[in-house]
Amino acid sequence: MNTREEVGEFSKLFNGFMTLMRRFIFKVLCVGPIPNHISFIMDGNRRFAKKHNLQDLDAGHRAGFVSVTHVLQYCQEIGVPYVTLYAFGHDNFRREPEEVKCVMDLMLEKIELTIDQAISGNLNNLKVIFIGDLNMLNERLKAAAQRLMEVTEENRGLMVVVCVAYSTSHEIVHAIRESCVRKCGDRDSPQVLEVSDIEECMYTSIVPDPALVIRTGGRDRLSNFMTWQTSRSLLHTTAALWPELGLWHLVWAILKFQRMQNYLQKKQKLD
Ligand code: IPE
Ligand code: MG
């Protein structure tokens, strides 16, 4: 066996060992309550690129996509039913056009790859849904997102909701407009809109409210992300940049959720 083969054998063994360790950790974690919906505010891609002296405009975002793959795999293994990802905010469209284009191109590349995986049956039953003002996306990206939703429509595994061109302010305006059309239509008599009418028309009505929100990048704010839906959610922030988010950050956040169960359940009853 030459040195290269030896290194290959060793890394195979090491990966196998790490997978076993991870499964064991998740088994222990699952003894306690698991959040039924985790939202991720993915922040810090550009700082990651800067920190590692990566010159390409898309380097940090590329690293961020690798993190998405790992996090989704962990959530699947833990048995979390719903995940939302704040992928690109409505306000992010105000960034330099080159950067916006770069993120959109990268997103297209990843979506097309995921479509291929879904068609060849390698997506582990994952269901993907895009929400937000999808009309802000270019035609090719919009069509690809639509196609990915179609090819994963019947899947019953982890549901991943990708929020693009999303902000809660726009979601609320959209929901009010939609509920007016639904409820008032062309009726002559005035109608009263209830909170439930608006909630039914929110993009996020397809998922329960998040039980746990994890924000990377060291900022303690929601940045116009699901502010309507998170009044009872536990917010966990970490200084780790999104591409640095690893297994232990996720385990730590879930342990915090488990430690705070009594408090969270009391809040659910009182509010
Ligand atoms: C989040 O990382 C990813 C997107 C909004 C697309 P940023 O791009 O905000 O990176 P930082 O926070 O500037 O480091
Ligand atoms: Mg940022």
Side-chain angles (χ1 to χ4, degrees):
M1 214 188 263
N2 63 32
T3 320
R4 186 179 285 181
E5 281 168 349
E6 272 174 9
V7 171
E9 270 309 302
F10 176 75
S11 74
K12 235 193 258 169
L13 265 173
F14 181 74
N15 285 342
F17 174 71
M18 290 312 280
T19 307
L20 268 177
M21 278 292 286
R22 202 173 64 234
R23 297 248 159 95
F24 175 71
I25 293 163
F26 290 166
K27 266 223 145 60
V28 176
L29 197 65
C30 286
V31 172
I34 295 299
N36 71 337
H37 177 184
I38 307 183
S39 291
F40 292 94
I41 302 180
M42 311 186 283
D43 196 23
N45 289 353
R46 294 181 298 185
R47 276 169 281 163
F48 177 84
K50 210 168 164 190
K51 187 169 158 186
H52 294 273
N53 274 321
L54 306 173
Q55 304 299 329
D56 292 347
L57 192 59
D58 68 352
H61 299 302
R62 232 170 232 289
F65 272 102
V66 176
S67 226
V68 169
T69 313
H70 289 143
V71 165
L72 292 183
Q73 188 190 339
Y74 300 155
C75 287
Q76 244 172 348
E77 289 177 4
I78 294 170
V80 177
Y82 304 100
V83 164
T84 30
L85 301 171
Y86 197 14
F88 205 74
H90 210 274
D91 286 352
N92 291 144
F93 277 96
R94 286 201 231 128
R95 291 188 179 187
E96 292 296 325
E98 299 81 54
E99 195 197 338
V100 175
K101 181 176 181 320
C102 158
V103 177
M104 294 298 132
D105 289 351
L106 201 53
M107 211 180 281
L108 178 66
E109 183 188 315
K110 296 298 166 190
I111 292 176
E112 285 177 342
L113 205 83
T114 316
I115 293 173
D116 290 344
Q117 282 178 313
I119 291 171
S120 57
N122 291 323
L123 206 57
N124 247 337
N125 221 11
L126 205 98
K127 179 177 174 122
V128 186
I129 296 182
F130 290 85
I131 61 164
D133 187 358
L134 301 186
N135 288 326
M136 288 186 83
L137 308 182
N138 64 54
E139 285 308 314
R140 196 163 163 209
L141 181 54
K142 209 165 90 177
Q146 198 60 46
R147 175 90 183 115
L148 181 55
M149 289 197 268
E150 281 162 18
V151 295
T152 61
E153 200 176 11
E154 304 293 323
N155 291 354
R156 291 290 169 264
L158 172 66
M159 189 197 279
V160 182
V161 179
V162 186
C163 307
V164 276
Y166 174 89
S167 74
T168 313
S169 334
H170 281 85
E171 181 182 26
I172 292 172
V173 172
H174 158 85
I176 292 175
R177 280 194 189 131
E178 182 66 25
S179 46
C180 284
V181 173
R182 280 196 205 172
K183 194 152 185 186
C184 311
D186 48 12
R187 270 176 272 182
D188 291 335
S189 57
Q191 301 290 317
V192 177
L193 281 187
E194 308 290 347
V195 170
S196 58
D197 294 321
I198 296 171
E199 272 175 343
E200 266 171 37
C201 296
M202 301 281 266
Y203 298 131
T204 44
S205 61
I206 47 171
V207 282
D209 287 350
L212 174 63
V213 179
I214 300 178
R215 177 172 184 143
T216 58
R219 319 257 199 257
D220 298 329
R221 58 196 190 92
L222 287 172
S223 302
N224 217 340
F225 177 66
M226 293 182 105
T227 49
W228 177 294
Q229 302 85 344
T230 49
S231 60
R232 297 187 192 97
S233 318
L234 176 68
L235 175 62
H236 174 79
T237 54
T238 165
L241 305 171
W242 174 252
E244 295 169 343
L245 192 85
L247 175 71
W248 288 111
H249 295 108
L250 184 62
V251 170
W252 189 248
I254 295 178
L255 284 174
K256 181 169 159 186
F257 172 81
Q258 296 182 339
R259 270 202 319 273
M260 298 197 61
Q261 263 318 286
N262 283 345
Y263 167 79
L264 292 168
Q265 277 176 1
K266 239 183 256 164
K267 284 282 150 204
Q268 294 273 6
K269 279 182 206 136
L270 288 177
D271 289 351

